[in-house]
């Protein structure tokens, strides 16, 4: 079974490779390379997979999931200039793809088979990170290829 929780955060970014010229970045990323940055209202959907607990009936405690999403993603990224305030985007271009990977990396320790405090979180696994940069554009990330 899959359960999904949605949260939103607002952040600004520049999509540009520092080692490229402004013209090269403009050709590659278009208006997103504007050195003064621009913002998005990101919508993040995090999907967990697992079996409902036989007693609680829950795959995962959704109150706990909300706390994790706030702690790992929303609090550190909301109303931030990603390139300047949020690692690793001082050196990794904060495209939707790279932000989704970073969110995955921040979340995975909380769940089964993660390396962090996931031991109390039952059988739930992190299954998918979907990040909408606009209504018309989203990326899905299901973790590193095996
Ligand atoms: Zn953008």
């Amino acid at each position: 079974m899959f359960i999904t929780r949605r949260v939103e955060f607002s952040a600004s970014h520049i999509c540009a490779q520092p080692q490229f010229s402004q013209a090269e970045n403009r050709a590659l990323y278009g208006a997103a390379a504007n050195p003064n940055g621009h913002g998005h209202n990101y919508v993040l959907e995090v999907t967990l997979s697992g079996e409902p607990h036989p007693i609680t009936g829950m795959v995962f405690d959704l109150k706990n999931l909300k706390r994790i999403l706030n702690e790992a993603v929303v609090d550190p990224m909301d109303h931030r200039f990603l390139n300047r305030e949020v690692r690793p985007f001082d050196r990794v271009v904060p495209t939707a793809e790279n932000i989704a990977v970073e969110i995955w990396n921040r979340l995975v320790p909380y769940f089964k088979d993660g390396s962090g405090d996931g031991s109390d979180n039952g059988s739930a696994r992190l299954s998918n990170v979907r990040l909408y940069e606009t209504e018309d554009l989203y990326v899905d990330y299901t973790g590193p290829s095996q």
Side-chain angles (χ1 to χ4, degrees):
M1 185 173 286
F2 298 94
I3 59 168
T4 299
R5 179 147 211 143
R6 174 187 295 203
V7 294
E8 299 185 20
F9 61 96
S10 301
S12 54
H13 70 165
I14 305 167
C15 286
Q17 270 292 352
Q19 66 266 38
F20 294 170
S21 71
Q22 203 159 320
E24 287 171 319
N25 277 315
R26 182 87 194 179
L28 193 54
Y29 298 105
N34 177 352
N36 293 315
H38 64 277
H40 294 284
N41 295 317
Y42 290 96
V43 176
L44 171 65
E45 294 176 352
V46 172
T47 300
L48 306 181
S49 62
E51 296 299 320
H53 187 278
I55 295 171
T56 67
M58 297 190 291
V59 170
F60 194 83
D61 183 336
L62 291 176
K63 299 186 304 297
N64 194 18
L65 181 56
K66 185 178 187 181
R67 181 189 63 75
I68 291 168
L69 295 181
N70 281 333
E71 177 180 295
V73 179
V74 177
D75 291 346
M77 296 192 187
D78 190 37
H79 288 81
R80 299 290 176 177
F81 198 136
L82 296 177
N83 306 65
R84 294 176 191 165
E85 298 181 88
V86 181
R87 289 184 180 179
F89 303 118
D90 52 335
R91 53 189 173 79
V92 174
V93 184
T95 57
E97 294 91 323
N98 283 339
I99 299 169
V101 170
E102 174 60 18
I103 289 171
W104 174 281
N105 290 340
R106 288 177 181 225
L107 291 177
V108 77
Y110 290 94
F111 301 101
K112 187 176 172 75
D113 296 340
S115 57
D117 68 352
S119 54
D120 295 335
N121 286 334
S123 68
R125 292 170 191 272
L126 184 57
S127 178
N128 191 52
V129 166
R130 174 170 288 183
L131 183 69
Y132 287 83
E133 192 168 80
T134 69
E135 277 184 22
D136 300 325
L137 187 152
Y138 66 84
V139 298
D140 284 312
Y141 185 59
T142 56
S145 309
Q146 297 301 310

